[in-house]
Amino acid sequence: MKFFLILFIAISNQFLFAQNVLWEFQTDGRVYSSPIVDGELVYFGSGDHKFYAVHKRTGVKEWEFETKGAVHSSPTIFENHIYFGSTDGNLYALNKNDGSLVWVFQSEGEKMYDIWDYYLSDPTSHEEKIYWGSGDGNMYALNGITGKLEWKYQTDDIIHASPVIADSSLYFGNYNGNFYSLDIENGDLLWRFRTIGDSYFPKGEVQKAALVEDGTVYFGSRDYNIYALDAKTGRGKWNKKTGSWVISTPFAYKGQLFFGTSDSHLFYSTNKANGKINWEVPVEMRVYGSAIAHEDIIYFGSFDGKMYGINYKTGAVAWEFQTESSKENYHRMFREEGGFKEGFVLYGENYLKSEKLIHALGSILSTPLIAENIIYFGSSDGKLYAINLK
């Protein structure tokens, strides 16, 4: 009787899990881009050089637009236009309804910092301007309607961190470990902050966007630190050193900051006011994407091919989704009881082979989006997922 009860529960769980997958949309490249939803469509880019619009309830493609490079930039919308960047060095503005090209702006050229430089700068809109960083070291301000250059600011190193706007200031970091605040109207420098650096990573590179909230700027760095700065002056409020790179943009919820780390494979909750650690949750791989909240559950993806939902107060896992690629390839890297299998070396002579195997898990670098109890996110298996949380 006990055997049949266990079998019934297992079959039931499989059925319920299958029912929760609303749809999957397959592309021909890795999806690092974070999706956005507008009306009935969800928009995202892929490493197959294409930008897609698919119906949010069915996953049926409405249109696609092809560039000459990987689209690892997440989009933004202003009025009837949707904007995104490509590794071909261009920023594109499309009609969001039919995907027709409105204008294209050419930077001075994109570049990749290293193999862990996965993202491009996401364009940010404010009134009629679009702000966008580039591998050429420039932060650009463009007219969102015409694509005309309004101003640019040269930082002398790669900008793949997305700009953030608050109180007429533009905030972003670059790969030289500098963090900037500019006047959004003319691009004048308001202040600059230099990360501390680390013996192994002295530049203290800033890879992703900051969070600006309640007069404070929060961001992570490859020098293992998360920083909190005064938004008006750039003076430090606090910093917390973790066990490895902090790539993900910190997420604030109910007085707490949530963020993941790279090689220490941890997800943190810290006090927003002083950086004191509330709890930390171990995962099997890196966390580069940012977190979101829904009904007191914090959702984030990991390089292990899993999307986690955890209780914001305790860190207890309340929900989990694993890609099919992760299920198929997990045993190639991990032991059943957890941890890497004997013989797997993360950063040995064959580190490129190791990275390829990691992405074979369907790694989730995309920051998820929740709309109407549906969670959307991309994966290294080339898919955009839509999972019904109810």
Side-chain angles (χ1 to χ4, degrees):
M1 183 67 181
K2 185 178 180 181
F3 168 78
F4 289 108
L5 179 60
I6 293 172
L7 180 63
F8 172 76
I9 292 172
I11 293 172
S12 298
N13 286 342
Q14 289 179 6
F15 175 74
L16 289 171
F17 177 81
Q19 290 295 96
N20 282 342
V21 180
L22 189 62
W23 51 259
E24 302 170 359
F25 182 86
Q26 183 71 59
T27 75
D28 293 324
R30 297 175 183 172
V31 179
Y32 305 152
S33 172
S34 301
I36 61 171
V37 169
D38 184 72
E40 293 301 308
L41 299 179
V42 55
Y43 302 89
F44 68 100
S46 171
D48 65 5
H49 299 192
K50 293 179 181 179
F51 186 81
Y52 295 92
V54 301
H55 282 279
K56 66 180 183 181
R57 299 196 183 280
T58 64
V60 174
K61 183 175 66 178
E62 178 71 12
W63 53 259
E64 66 180 45
F65 181 90
E66 187 167 6
T67 74
K68 295 180 180 179
V71 183
H72 293 322
S73 159
S74 301
T76 192
I77 289 178
F78 171 67
E79 293 186 350
N80 203 41
H81 299 162
I82 190 162
Y83 307 85
F84 61 91
S86 167
T87 57
D88 63 13
N90 294 329
L91 180 71
Y92 293 88
L94 308 182
N95 183 302
K96 69 177 184 179
N97 297 314
D98 59 17
S100 58
L101 180 65
V102 178
W103 53 257
V104 59
F105 176 83
Q106 187 173 7
S107 72
E108 296 170 15
E110 259 301 342
K111 62 181 68 172
M112 186 176 179
Y113 188 74
D114 57 26
I115 66 167
W116 300 282
D117 179 14
Y118 292 110
Y119 305 97
L120 297 177
S121 177
D122 306 334
T124 300
S125 65
H126 179 72
E127 296 179 349
E128 287 195 354
K129 288 192 178 73
I130 300 297
Y131 301 88
W132 173 62
S134 170
D136 65 12
N138 283 305
M139 177 58 64
Y140 293 98
L142 309 171
N143 183 292
I145 304 301
T146 66
K148 179 183 176 182
L149 178 66
E150 300 282 345
W151 55 258
K152 63 180 179 179
Y153 182 90
Q154 175 57 243
T155 68
D156 297 322
D157 213 329
I158 294 170
I159 305 173
H160 284 163
S162 306
V164 179
I165 296 170
D167 298 327
S168 300
S169 297
L170 186 74
Y171 301 93
F172 64 96
N174 74 353
Y175 269 89
N176 201 34
N178 288 314
F179 193 91
Y180 299 85
S181 174
L182 306 182
D183 187 303
I184 61 172
E185 294 301 322
N186 53 31
D188 287 347
L189 178 67
L190 300 176
W191 53 258
R192 182 176 65 178
F193 175 87
R194 186 78 170 89
T195 58
I196 297 170
D198 178 82
S199 56
Y200 289 103
F201 304 100
K203 292 177 68 174
E205 299 90 334
V206 181
Q207 190 164 342
K208 286 197 73 182
L211 166 70
V212 184
E213 187 169 285
D214 298 330
T216 303
V217 181
Y218 305 92
F219 66 93
S221 166
R222 287 192 177 189
D223 66 5
Y224 302 178
N225 278 285
I226 181 168
Y227 294 89
L229 311 180
D230 184 284
K232 289 294 184 184
T233 66
R235 296 296 299 270
K237 290 188 173 183
W238 57 262
N239 65 282
K240 172 71 68 176
K241 192 157 190 176
T242 69
S244 62
W245 295 355
V246 181
I247 304 300
S248 64
T249 299
F251 172 72
Y253 185 70
K254 295 189 175 182
Q256 299 179 45
L257 284 181
F258 300 90
F259 60 93
T261 61
S262 182
D263 295 333
S264 55
H265 304 162
L266 293 170
F267 187 82
Y268 284 93
S269 165
T270 67
N271 185 291
K272 183 180 168 186
N274 55 30
K276 182 180 178 181
I277 296 174
N278 299 316
W279 48 255
E280 58 186 48
V281 175
V283 292
E284 293 292 350
M285 271 301 298
R286 313 167 186 137
V287 177
Y288 276 20
S290 302
I292 60 171
H294 180 67
E295 297 181 353
D296 287 346
I297 302 297
I298 305 298
Y299 294 89
F300 65 93
S302 168
F303 276 66
D304 62 8
K306 294 181 180 180
M307 178 65 66
Y308 296 91
I310 61 176
N311 183 288
Y312 87 98
K313 288 184 178 179
T314 66
V317 177
W319 182 92
E320 184 180 295
F321 174 84
Q322 185 176 16
T323 65
E324 289 299 324
S325 297
S326 180
K327 292 177 185 178
E328 292 172 5
N329 294 298
Y330 213 74
H331 69 280
R332 299 171 62 190
M333 280 182 57
F334 301 106
R335 299 173 298 175
E336 287 187 13
E337 63 272 26
F340 292 136
K341 293 182 70 172
E342 185 177 353
F344 179 81
V345 180
L346 195 57
Y347 299 116
E349 293 182 2
N350 295 321
Y351 72 95
L352 292 176
K353 183 178 178 181
S354 296
E355 288 297 313
K356 186 176 180 180
L357 179 55
I358 291 168
H359 285 281
L361 297 172
S363 300
I364 301 172
L365 286 74
S366 172
T367 297
L369 168 74
I370 296 177
E372 299 176 359
N373 292 313
I374 307 298
I375 185 168
Y376 303 89
F377 56 90
S379 166
S380 288
D381 60 14
K383 293 179 181 179
L384 185 76
Y385 290 88
I387 312 297
N388 193 332
L389 293 175
K390 295 297 183 180

